[in-house]
Amino acid sequence: MALLLVSSLMLLSWSKFLYPQRYSQFKYVLINQKYLLSFHKGKMLTHPFALIMSFTAWINLSLFVYLLIPDLVPHLNLYFELSFLHVAMYTAAFLMIKAWVQILLSEVFENQIIRRLQFSKISILSFNSWILTLSSLLLIYLSNHNLIIIYSTISLFLLLYTIGYINVLRIHKNKLFKQILYFILYLCALEIAPILIIINYLKIA
């Protein structure tokens, strides 16, 4: 586990060294429009900096989920032998399926706003994932107050994600109002529905 945390930090340092300008914009992504608007300058989803940030977000998210399972949903280990590799694979599958569906919809409906939202959400998730790194560190090396750490982390993560999402909506508000029906369908099908499915699955399991 410690090796994963070190690898994550090394990737962050590497991205800062290779792309200092993008990093300086990225660290203010929750309140600044520069990085999010850089989508217009090219295929930012496949830019090396974006890929590094997405990869580290996957590591941080997978590790945090793996560490919270024994305390938050301990019954899962009674039915499944969940190693970190299993959790990482499930997390990757969930994120990639969502991304592919959004790309497919943007192509089918010829709607660039979906891709812009996707880029913005991935950027915000990547930024907020560093909160999970600190939380994972505490969960690994502190044996007490795990539930307090987990709930505090989730609350802070959701708060910052909401702030970032509101900023995204503010940036694209004019185009979203013109395509409000698409946005509502997108929100229900690709944001709310997956979360409800996961919660329902955990309850059944």
Side-chain angles (χ1 to χ4, degrees), residues 111 117 165 169 176 179-188:
N111 193 328
L117 287 174
Y165 208 94
L169 296 181
L176 286 175
Q179 306 178 54
I180 190 65
L181 180 60
Y182 285 122
F183 178 66
I184 293 174
L185 291 173
Y186 162 84
L187 200 62
C188 294

Side-chain angles (χ1 to χ4, degrees), residues 1 18-19 23 28 32 38 49 51-52 56 66 79 91 98 100 104 120 123 131 174 178 183 185-186 193:
M1 298 297 103
L18 293 176
Y19 308 100
Y23 180 86
Y28 298 112
N32 196 302
S38 65
F49 179 82
L51 293 176
I52 293 173
T56 54
Y66 174 71
Y79 299 96
T91 304
K98 278 192 66 177
W100 286 339
L104 179 62
S120 299
S123 301
I131 299 170
N174 293 332
K178 293 178 182 178
F183 178 66
L185 291 173
Y186 162 84

